[in-house]
Amino acid sequence: LGIYPEFKRLKDDYSIKWVGKSTDEMIIDRLSKVDDPNELFKWIREVKRLNPDLQDFLDLMAITGLRLTEAIDSYNLIIQLAKKGKLSEYYNEEKGTLEHFKFKEIFLRKNKKVFISFVPKDLVQRIARNKPIKSRFQVEKRVQKQGYKIRYTDLRELHGTFMTKYLKQSEIGFIHGRVSANIFMRNYFNPALISDLKERVFKAIAEIRERIQ
């Protein structure tokens, strides 16, 4: 509206600040949100059954912990590059990773980032043969119309919690793109030096895939 300076002045005059939920409130919300840890796995299976064209997309979200927007961007980028014969510019077959960091303008946003995701080759190949996802609306409203809650945000939380069986907190933080949380993550953590990281991640992926079939 062209009145930002006035808004800023009024905000300062009345000492108005942006206030979010406290850490305690956030933890309480998480504790009360899901009673059965298998509830989300069941949600994935049921949504996949009703939407065959979203099966590979939901698998991608479940095994990577990507945010919804990131998952759509990644899914579409796989398809786009595969059509051009350039998928190797994104998917490192030897490491089994989607290298998001090569596409900074898409995946390295100011406050939300993701650098790599471990993904099995067979899933990448299946995605490459699919049609792109047009928008968030396509994957959100359709599910809602089918009588299910929109749980995509919960899938990231599920992934992070599930991964604690196989990974350390710093490793999960890195996979989820949280590298600026503390001095250790910013200056010392180097996933390339963790020789068995890929092996442990793929063990977790195998278990997740088994639960969502």
Side-chain angles (χ1 to χ4, degrees):
L1 298 175
I3 58 172
Y4 178 74
E6 182 182 353
F7 162 75
K8 189 172 185 300
R9 179 184 60 78
L10 289 170
K11 183 170 68 70
D12 293 340
D13 287 348
Y14 289 92
S15 300
I16 297 173
K17 298 178 181 179
W18 297 111
V19 179
K21 289 185 177 182
S22 69
T23 303
D24 291 345
E25 289 173 323
M26 291 172 68
I27 292 175
I28 290 171
D29 283 347
R30 289 176 182 171
L31 288 173
S32 59
K33 188 161 52 177
V34 178
D35 296 323
D36 182 358
N38 292 314
E39 181 183 333
L40 278 173
F41 288 123
K42 181 181 178 182
W43 181 88
I44 296 171
R45 292 194 302 269
E46 291 180 351
V47 173
K48 284 172 62 176
R49 178 178 56 83
L50 293 173
N51 304 276
D53 59 318
L54 296 180
Q55 288 184 0
D56 295 331
F57 176 73
L58 283 163
D59 284 357
L60 180 68
M61 286 203 71
I63 68 172
T64 62
L66 288 171
R67 302 173 182 89
L68 179 57
T69 300
E70 293 168 346
I72 292 173
D73 287 339
S74 179
Y75 187 88
N76 289 344
L77 186 58
I78 291 171
I79 296 169
Q80 175 188 335
L81 293 174
K83 287 181 178 179
K84 296 178 180 179
K86 297 181 178 180
L87 185 54
S88 60
E89 294 180 6
Y90 184 31
Y91 184 65
N92 187 318
E93 188 174 333
E94 180 182 353
K95 296 180 179 179
T97 56
L98 291 170
E99 297 179 328
H100 310 299
F101 63 86
K102 292 182 177 178
F103 300 86
K104 297 179 182 180
E105 69 283 358
I106 300 176
F107 297 107
L108 302 187
R109 295 172 289 171
K110 185 176 180 180
N111 297 319
K112 296 180 180 179
K113 310 176 190 296
V114 60
F115 296 91
I116 68 167
S117 293
F118 288 91
V119 181
K121 180 181 176 180
D122 68 289
L123 178 55
V124 173
Q125 290 175 328
R126 290 206 311 273
I127 292 173
R129 296 191 291 266
N130 294 340
K131 294 181 179 179
I133 289 175
K134 295 180 180 179
S135 66
R136 292 184 61 143
F137 180 85
Q138 180 180 349
V139 296
E140 288 183 322
K141 295 302 180 182
R142 190 200 301 180
V143 170
Q144 197 172 38
K145 287 180 178 178
Q146 291 168 339
Y148 289 91
K149 293 181 180 178
I150 298 175
R151 309 293 302 267
Y152 294 106
T153 302
D154 296 338
L155 298 188
R156 180 173 171 82
E157 182 179 320
L158 172 69
H159 179 270
T161 302
F162 187 85
M163 282 290 175
T164 59
K165 296 173 61 177
Y166 297 90
L167 306 181
K168 298 176 182 176
Q169 181 179 338
S170 57
E171 295 167 338
I172 298 170
F174 170 70
I175 291 173
H176 279 196
R178 292 189 295 269
V179 297
S180 59
N182 55 51
I183 293 175
F184 171 73
M185 289 298 292
R186 287 199 305 268
N187 301 310
Y188 301 107
F189 180 76
N190 186 349
L193 300 178
I194 307 174
S195 59
D196 66 337
L197 179 59
K198 175 183 175 181
E199 179 184 349
R200 286 183 285 118
V201 172
F202 272 84
K203 282 183 179 179
I205 287 174
E207 186 172 344
I208 291 174
R209 294 181 85 179
E210 189 175 320
R211 290 170 178 249
I212 61 177
Q213 295 304 318

